PDB file of all heavy atoms in Angstrom:
ATOM      1  N   PRO A  24      -5.738  55.236  32.825  1.00 70.00           N
ATOM      2  CA  PRO A  24      -6.422  56.296  33.574  1.00 70.00           C
ATOM      3  C   PRO A  24      -5.410  57.114  34.353  1.00 70.00           C
ATOM      4  O   PRO A  24      -4.376  56.604  34.754  1.00 70.00           O
ATOM      5  CB  PRO A  24      -7.348  55.535  34.512  1.00 70.00           C
ATOM      6  CG  PRO A  24      -6.807  54.159  34.591  1.00 70.00           C
ATOM      7  CD  PRO A  24      -6.073  53.910  33.301  1.00 70.00           C
ATOM      8  N   PRO A  25      -5.764  58.388  34.513  1.00 68.00           N
ATOM      9  CA  PRO A  25      -4.809  59.232  35.228  1.00 68.00           C
ATOM     10  C   PRO A  25      -4.684  58.723  36.658  1.00 68.00           C
ATOM     11  O   PRO A  25      -5.626  58.164  37.216  1.00 68.00           O
ATOM     12  CB  PRO A  25      -5.424  60.622  35.185  1.00 68.00           C
ATOM     13  CG  PRO A  25      -6.882  60.405  34.903  1.00 68.00           C
ATOM     14  CD  PRO A  25      -6.972  59.113  34.143  1.00 68.00           C
ATOM     15  N   PRO A  26      -3.585  58.878  37.232  1.00 67.00           N
ATOM     16  CA  PRO A  26      -3.420  58.399  38.605  1.00 67.00           C
ATOM     17  C   PRO A  26      -4.337  59.185  39.545  1.00 67.00           C
ATOM     18  O   PRO A  26      -4.574  60.362  39.361  1.00 67.00           O
ATOM     19  CB  PRO A  26      -1.936  58.662  38.910  1.00 67.00           C
ATOM     20  CG  PRO A  26      -1.547  59.734  37.964  1.00 67.00           C
ATOM     21  CD  PRO A  26      -2.393  59.561  36.730  1.00 67.00           C
ATOM     22  N   LYS A  27      -4.858  58.482  40.493  1.00 69.00           N
ATOM     23  CA  LYS A  27      -5.759  59.122  41.448  1.00 69.00           C
ATOM     24  C   LYS A  27      -4.976  60.058  42.326  1.00 69.00           C
ATOM     25  O   LYS A  27      -3.934  59.686  42.855  1.00 69.00           O
ATOM     26  CB  LYS A  27      -6.446  58.069  42.327  1.00 69.00           C
ATOM     27  CG  LYS A  27      -7.458  57.257  41.578  1.00 69.00           C
ATOM     28  CD  LYS A  27      -8.224  56.370  42.538  1.00 69.00           C
ATOM     29  CE  LYS A  27      -9.253  55.568  41.804  1.00 69.00           C
ATOM     30  NZ  LYS A  27      -9.980  54.695  42.665  1.00 69.00           N
ATOM     31  N   GLN A  28      -5.553  61.249  42.371  1.00 65.00           N
ATOM     32  CA  GLN A  28      -4.878  62.221  43.225  1.00 65.00           C
ATOM     33  C   GLN A  28      -5.464  62.085  44.615  1.00 65.00           C
ATOM     34  O   GLN A  28      -6.663  61.955  44.788  1.00 65.00           O
ATOM     35  CB  GLN A  28      -5.098  63.642  42.702  1.00 65.00           C
ATOM     36  CG  GLN A  28      -4.445  63.875  41.363  1.00 65.00           C
ATOM     37  CD  GLN A  28      -4.699  65.305  40.882  1.00 65.00           C
ATOM     38  OE1 GLN A  28      -5.463  66.021  41.468  1.00 65.00           O
ATOM     39  NE2 GLN A  28      -4.016  65.678  39.827  1.00 65.00           N
ATOM     40  N   ASP A  29      -4.652  62.107  45.541  1.00 66.00           N
ATOM     41  CA  ASP A  29      -5.130  62.012  46.899  1.00 66.00           C
ATOM     42  C   ASP A  29      -5.795  63.335  47.258  1.00 66.00           C
ATOM     43  O   ASP A  29      -5.200  64.404  47.112  1.00 66.00           O
ATOM     44  CB  ASP A  29      -3.980  61.731  47.889  1.00 66.00           C
ATOM     45  CG  ASP A  29      -3.458  60.314  47.716  1.00 66.00           C
ATOM     46  OD1 ASP A  29      -4.239  59.482  47.194  1.00 66.00           O
ATOM     47  OD2 ASP A  29      -2.322  60.041  48.104  1.00 66.00           O
ATOM     48  N   ALA A  30      -7.069  63.223  47.703  1.00 67.00           N
ATOM     49  CA  ALA A  30      -7.786  64.428  48.105  1.00 67.00           C
ATOM     50  C   ALA A  30      -7.231  64.893  49.438  1.00 67.00           C
ATOM     51  O   ALA A  30      -6.788  64.100  50.260  1.00 67.00           O
ATOM     52  CB  ALA A  30      -9.272  64.141  48.253  1.00 67.00           C
TER      53      ALA A  30
END
Side-chain angles (χ1 to χ4, degrees):
K27 289 187 179 179
Q28 294 180 352
D29 289 337

